[in-house]
Amino acid sequence: MKKTNIDAIGYKIEVQYGGGSGDFLSLTDIAKYRTTENPGYVIQNWMRNRNTVRFLGLWERFHNPNFNCLEFEAIEEEAGFNSFVLTPKRWIDTTSAIGMTSKQGRYASTMAHQDIAFEFASWISPEFKLYVIKDYQRLKTDENSKFSLKWNLNRELSKINYHIHTDAVKNHLIPENIARMAGSFVYANEADVINVALFGMTAKMWREANPELNGNIRDYSTLHQLIVLVNLESMNAELIKLGLPQHERAVRLNRMAIEQLSTLEKCRNNRLLE
C-alpha cells in the first residue's frame, strides 16, 4: 500500500492511500500529540467512551456490509462502565470492523479511516485536529495538481507512442519463431533502454528503491520527462529500424534526453510551457 506523511505542527502522521474508499491515517502518530511514550493507552481511553463506540458502530454500518451488529450491541452495552476496556484489536476481531487496522509487535501501530482519524484528533485537541486536516488537504491538493490535465495528456501520449516503439521491436528484433515465447522479455529490455537513458535506472531498480509506491517509474514522471519520453520512444523505434546495436542506441538516447531536458528547463524558466 502506498504511504506518505503529513506534518501537523511538527508531528509526522503516516497516511496510507486507500484509493476511492478513502485514506487511512495513523492514530498512533496522532496520539503522540498527547504522549510519545504510551500512545496506545491514549487510543484505548478514547475507545472506552460510549460516544466513540457509537460513532465507530455507525461508521461501520455505513461502510461495512459484514459488520457484526450483534457483537457491536454487546460492546455498546458495556461501554461507559469503569471495568470496560476496548482495544483496536478487540474491536476488529469481535465486530469484523474495516475502519481500523491494528499492527502488533515491535512496530505496533493503529491506522484508521480518515473519518475516524479526524474524530480521534478532535478528541485529542480541536486545535490539533485543524492542523491535521489542513496538512491533509495540502497533500490532496498536491496530488490533484500532479494528475492535472497536462500531466495526464502527456502520460496518455507516451502510452500511445509506446505502441510504435513495441512494433519496431517486434518487426526488427524478435524472430517470428520466438515471438510468442520470449517477446515479452525483449519488450521489457527495450523499455529499460528508454528508462536508463531518461531516468538513470531500470524499472526493476525503481521498484526495489520504491516498494511503497504503486504503478511504475513512468507514472511518477514530471511533465518534462514525459515529453522527452515520447520523443525517445519515437527515436528508438527509428534507430532499431536502422539496425543500430542496443548499446549504441542507449548512448544516443541518453545524450538526446539530456539535451531535451535542458532545453525544456530553459523553456520553463521563460514560461513558454504555461
Side-chain angles (χ1 to χ4, degrees):
M1 184 176 290
K2 183 182 175 184
K3 301 177 183 179
T4 188
N5 293 302
I6 59 174
D7 189 307
I9 54 174
Y11 290 87
K12 289 191 178 300
I13 300 169
E14 181 180 324
V15 177
Q16 293 182 352
Y17 293 97
S21 61
D23 300 331
F24 276 57
L25 279 67
S26 171
L27 298 190
T28 304
D29 291 341
I30 293 174
K32 289 177 182 178
Y33 181 75
R34 281 278 184 90
T35 173
T36 58
E37 294 182 359
N38 297 299
Y41 292 156
V42 178
I43 299 171
Q44 290 182 34
N45 286 336
W46 173 64
M47 295 185 70
R48 292 182 71 245
N49 187 289
R50 179 181 288 272
N51 288 334
T52 299
V53 171
R54 287 175 175 170
F55 173 82
L56 293 175
L58 183 61
W59 189 95
E60 293 292 339
R61 281 178 167 143
F62 274 132
H63 300 90
N64 183 3
N66 298 316
F67 184 56
N68 193 324
C69 294
L70 291 177
E71 291 292 347
F72 165 69
E73 290 172 3
I75 291 176
E76 187 179 24
E77 287 183 7
E78 295 179 40
F81 289 102
N82 291 337
S83 60
F84 176 65
V85 176
L86 183 62
T87 65
K89 188 176 186 307
R90 181 193 171 195
W91 171 251
I92 296 167
D93 292 345
T94 304
T95 67
S96 300
I98 62 171
M100 279 189 185
T101 64
S102 179
K103 182 180 178 182
Q104 307 298 308
R106 181 178 179 183
Y107 301 103
S109 74
T110 299
M111 307 290 296
H113 186 275
Q114 62 197 56
D115 298 341
I116 299 172
F118 294 150
E119 183 72 13
F120 177 57
S122 182
W123 180 82
I124 292 285
S125 164
E127 178 186 6
F128 185 60
K129 174 188 176 182
L130 182 61
Y131 286 112
V132 173
I133 291 176
K134 286 295 184 183
D135 206 55
Y136 179 75
Q137 290 174 336
R138 174 204 57 77
L139 174 67
K140 305 314 288 185
T141 299
D142 289 348
E143 287 179 4
N144 290 335
S145 65
K146 178 180 179 181
F147 294 103
S148 64
L149 179 61
K150 286 197 297 184
W151 192 92
N152 278 308
L153 176 60
N154 279 275
R155 184 67 178 112
E156 290 305 312
L157 284 173
S158 71
K159 289 179 181 179
I160 294 170
N161 204 61
Y162 183 68
H163 291 293
I164 300 174
H165 180 233
T166 53
D167 282 345
V169 175
K170 180 179 179 180
N171 294 332
H172 296 272
L173 292 183
I174 306 175
E176 288 186 9
N177 61 332
I178 65 166
R180 187 172 296 181
M181 293 288 294
S184 60
F185 295 102
V186 180
Y187 287 151
N189 184 258
E190 282 300 317
D192 273 336
V193 172
I194 305 292
N195 290 334
V196 172
L198 181 57
F199 306 110
M201 64 180 70
T202 65
K204 181 180 180 181
M205 292 166 62
W206 182 87
R207 286 194 301 272
E208 291 175 347
N210 301 277
E212 75 285 358
L213 299 181
N214 295 324
N216 58 59
I217 188 171
R218 300 184 182 193
D219 291 323
Y220 294 86
S221 306
T222 65
L223 176 61
H224 288 178
Q225 287 173 329
L226 287 173
I227 293 172
V228 174
L229 176 61
V230 171
N231 297 335
L232 292 183
E233 287 178 333
S234 296
M235 177 58 71
N236 194 40
E238 292 303 313
L239 295 178
I240 288 173
K241 293 175 185 178
L242 292 174
L244 270 68
Q246 190 178 83
H247 69 275
E248 186 175 337
R249 285 186 280 111
V251 172
R252 290 196 182 194
L253 292 170
N254 177 249
R255 188 180 302 125
M256 179 179 174
I258 293 172
E259 291 174 354
Q260 292 195 4
L261 285 172
S262 177
T263 299
L264 289 172
E265 185 65 23
K266 294 176 183 177
C267 288
R268 187 183 72 172
N269 292 338
N270 292 324
R271 308 187 72 82
L272 294 178
L273 288 179
E274 295 298 322

